[in-house]
Amino acid sequence: MKNIAAIVLAAGKGTRMKSNIPKVLHRVAGKPMLFYPLSLLSGLKPGKVVVVVGHGAQDVKAAFKSNKISYALQKEQLGTGHAVLIASKALAGFKGDVLILSGDVPLISKDTINAFLKMHRGNGRKKPVVSLITTILEDPRGYGRVVRDSSGAVTRIVEDKDCSVLQKRINEVNSGIYLIKSDFLKENIKKLGKENAQGEYYLPDLIQMATSQGHRVVGLTHMEPDEVMGINNRIELARANALMRRRISDAHMLGGITIIDPDTTYIDHGVTIGVDTTIYPGVHLRGDTGIGANCIIEEGVRIEASRIGDNSIVKSHTLIESTVAGNDVQIGPFARLRPGNDIKDKVRIGNFVEVKKTVIGKGSKANHLAYLGDSVIGDDVNIGAGTITCNYDGVNKYQTTIEDGAFIGSDSQLVAPVRVGKGAYVGSGSTVTKDVPPDALVITRARERVIEGWAKKKRSKKSQGH
Ligand code: UD1
Ligand code: CA
């Protein structure tokens, strides 16, 4: 959008978070909270986006590398007004409206910003030099209060710490989201003082400046306070997470996904899910994850940075990380898929099976109690209970290859590097250290002996007192 530039304030220390991590990097539904205003802006396409960084500047910049963003460094955090002063230097040649967002207000929606822009620009009468979004809070503590005159026009904002007893009772608060005419901003931002309770340059003081110069200020009162909530401490962080999660779950449900209990389902921003999939309680779907259509994800499952194909079932209490799985697979209960697996269609991985950096071919099964690491397993292979690929000699890791149609008997160890040929059999209880040719049987157990009557004889000796 032309004639719009944006400033995002993200330099504050976030003292109330009591954290070593910059506030705007704390996560909401899997993303650093600054991600949300930035992605809203990327949809709006302003001429320029300036992010003011300070506390933890290097980390913040590293988290959001983009040629569409320029950063302004606020070395000392002297207040929101000072932050905008620094950012406005990057807008030297710009003429139009400057949209100011806070890095700690992640729930604000695109619809609200569009309505705000329309209001600011479409006012038939004298155009406002400043517009701001306000909201009504039952408990307005901590926020700047909106003071209006007898005609209802906004005259100024008073910060919580500067409020008189009467002002403290005002329920209308400043959301920290503004549209300001660039000419007015440039001329007045340097005039802000810091004679206030916090000794800071307050950006909202521009409002009083505007009204005292005879300009119009317009306040858009937003009726959903949740959307404009700022995150200042970990209680608010948890609340914002709950609200964002609910928003994400609602979108999935409206898109045709059954979520049994949205309150205990944790789906990160950006996760995709196909229609008619059912998600049970206590499921975490994290990071860049995609679940296919018509799947069942049972209770207590965590899937991170993975793909699961259509018609698949992930049973209770399974953990899957950085894995790609095909269609019609069944995984779990109690399975652990560590990073780097490529699981083809129709594979079954059962309880207490751990899989790492392993390819498992179509239709192969490892139904119980196994460790498969650094392996390449073909199609239609059967891995018996208790199979272990011994991939590590204490220094290096080696690969195990199991070709199509092979059968690995229970309680076998495959000592890598080793290859089991196509269609070969490994007898139960074998320790395989050499390659097995196709269609062969390998068996390494000691020969079985049966001694008739041995136990009976032993018992009778005992009873005779020997
Ligand atoms: C601010 C507003 C308050 C409003 C509230 C809404 C001021 C003085 N007060 O208060 O009226 O009700 O937001 O959430 O603006 N920041 C900087 N540099 C600084 C100081 C802050 O970049 O020197 C950034 C912070 O990182 C944050 C944003 O500005 O993203 C708001 O700062 P914060 O200290 O959280 O202001 P509030 O006390 O919440
Ligand atoms: Ca804040």
Side-chain angles (χ1 to χ4, degrees):
M1 200 179 281
K2 272 194 356 199
N3 305 332
I4 283 267
I7 296 173
V8 184
L9 303 183
K13 187 159 187 287
T15 313
R16 291 162 279 182
M17 293 297 280
K18 308 238 166 83
S19 177
N20 296 318
I21 303 164
K23 175 163 78 173
V24 293
L25 293 186
H26 280 265
R27 288 176 185 267
V28 174
K31 299 278 186 197
M33 64 175 95
L34 180 58
F35 165 87
Y36 295 97
L38 293 182
S39 76
L40 187 152
L41 288 173
S42 77
L44 204 66
K45 296 192 176 51
K48 184 142 196 171
V49 176
V50 185
V51 179
V52 186
V53 289
H55 187 73
Q58 290 312 322
D59 295 341
V60 177
K61 282 177 164 173
F64 298 96
K65 284 200 190 107
S66 158
N67 53 11
K68 300 210 171 73
I69 299 172
S70 55
Y71 288 97
L73 182 66
Q74 187 192 24
K75 285 196 201 98
E76 264 186 295
Q77 283 77 61
L78 304 177
T80 50
H82 179 250
V84 170
L85 172 70
I86 284 172
S88 62
K89 288 175 188 152
L91 300 177
F94 171 78
K95 230 173 139 44
D97 290 310
V98 181
L99 172 64
I100 299 178
L101 301 176
S102 275
D104 64 349
V105 181
L107 290 155
I108 189 79
S109 74
K110 207 153 87 189
D111 290 350
T112 300
I113 294 298
N114 283 333
F116 183 45
L117 260 168
K118 211 166 155 195
M119 186 205 73
H120 177 74
R121 290 184 158 180
N123 253 290
R125 307 187 284 153
K126 202 166 85 180
K127 295 245 184 314
V129 292
V130 181
S131 294
L132 74 157
I133 300 182
T134 73
T135 195
I136 311 290
L137 293 182
E138 211 168 291
D139 178 7
R141 272 179 296 178
Y143 286 87
R145 310 297 205 282
V146 179
V147 179
R148 291 182 184 261
D149 66 16
S150 51
S151 74
V154 177
T155 57
R156 62 193 185 112
I157 306 294
V158 186
E159 289 307 305
D160 189 63
K161 290 191 172 126
D162 299 286
C163 277
S164 66
V165 179
L166 272 177
Q167 285 165 336
K168 277 208 189 269
R169 289 201 210 143
I170 299 173
N171 287 91
E172 187 179 9
V173 303
N174 170 23
S175 72
I177 297 166
Y178 319 82
L179 273 163
I180 307 177
K181 262 194 173 161
S182 59
D183 295 343
F184 175 82
L185 181 69
K186 279 173 203 166
E187 202 183 307
N188 292 280
I189 192 73
K190 4 176 231 261
K191 297 187 198 157
L192 292 174
K194 51 175 182 168
E195 296 72 40
N196 53 53
Q198 301 183 80
E200 287 182 1
Y201 297 95
Y202 290 166
L203 179 63
D205 282 356
L206 278 185
I207 285 153
Q208 192 175 5
M209 257 181 215
T211 51
S212 67
Q213 290 170 25
H215 294 298
R216 253 187 98 209
V217 172
V218 172
L220 171 68
T221 311
H222 190 50
M223 285 308 167
E224 278 175 59
D226 284 347
E227 228 192 78
V228 297
M229 79 172 280
I231 299 176
N232 294 313
N233 58 43
R234 309 235 187 185
I235 296 172
E236 289 166 348
L237 178 66
R239 211 173 111 66
N241 263 292
L243 291 164
M244 187 66 87
R245 251 185 348 248
R246 186 67 212 215
R247 213 186 255 182
I248 291 169
S249 293
D250 285 356
H252 285 298
M253 291 188 283
L254 291 173
I257 286 89
T258 296
I259 297 177
I260 305 288
D261 180 15
D263 290 338
T264 60
T265 304
Y266 303 80
I267 304 174
D268 277 357
H269 177 94
V271 169
T272 60
I273 310 176
V275 291
D276 286 328
T277 284
T278 299
I279 314 276
Y280 281 82
V283 166
H284 294 248
L285 303 178
R286 294 196 188 156
D288 180 18
T289 285
I291 309 290
N294 207 29
C295 291
I296 297 172
I297 312 295
E298 291 186 352
E299 63 281 354
V301 167
R302 168 148 71 91
I303 302 177
E304 206 158 327
S306 296
R307 307 266 141 200
I308 308 285
D310 298 338
N311 308 312
S312 296
I313 303 178
V314 182
K315 295 187 180 168
S316 311
H317 304 289
T318 288
L319 167 58
I320 301 177
E321 294 169 283
S322 303
T323 285
V324 176
N327 301 323
D328 304 290
V329 302
Q330 279 194 33
I331 305 174
F334 301 101
R336 180 173 183 208
L337 274 63
R338 289 165 52 204
N341 303 302
D342 183 1
I343 311 292
K344 308 292 189 198
D345 295 349
K346 296 193 163 75
V347 163
R348 282 171 182 245
I349 295 169
N351 41 268
F352 308 108
V353 175
E354 176 178 341
V355 189
K356 185 211 80 173
K357 275 195 192 152
T358 285
V359 180
I360 305 185
K362 197 171 167 191
S364 291
K365 293 179 189 140
N367 274 333
H368 356 248
L369 297 158
Y371 172 62
L372 305 170
D374 303 303
S375 304
V376 176
I377 299 171
D379 297 346
D380 298 313
V381 167
N382 191 78
I383 307 281
T387 297
I388 293 172
T389 56
C390 309
N391 57 333
Y392 185 51
D393 63 3
V395 182
N396 294 306
K397 300 252 166 89
Y398 301 98
Q399 187 178 300
T400 301
T401 305
I402 304 173
E403 293 181 353
D404 293 351
F407 182 98
I408 313 298
S410 298
D411 190 30
S412 295
Q413 299 90 53
L414 307 174
V415 182
V418 73
R419 170 182 296 265
V420 177
K422 205 168 167 180
Y425 261 67
V426 173
S428 294
S430 295
T431 301
V432 180
T433 57
K434 294 183 208 135
D435 287 359
V436 183
D439 297 319
L441 166 71
V442 62
I443 188 151
T444 71
R445 274 177 244 151
R447 191 167 285 279
E448 192 164 353
R449 285 166 65 200
V450 177
I451 304 169
E452 296 276 354
W454 184 91
K456 194 174 177 186
K457 221 153 119 190
K458 188 179 164 86
R459 278 194 298 273
S460 71
K461 269 189 187 162
K462 201 174 178 186
S463 66
Q464 286 162 23
H466 286 283

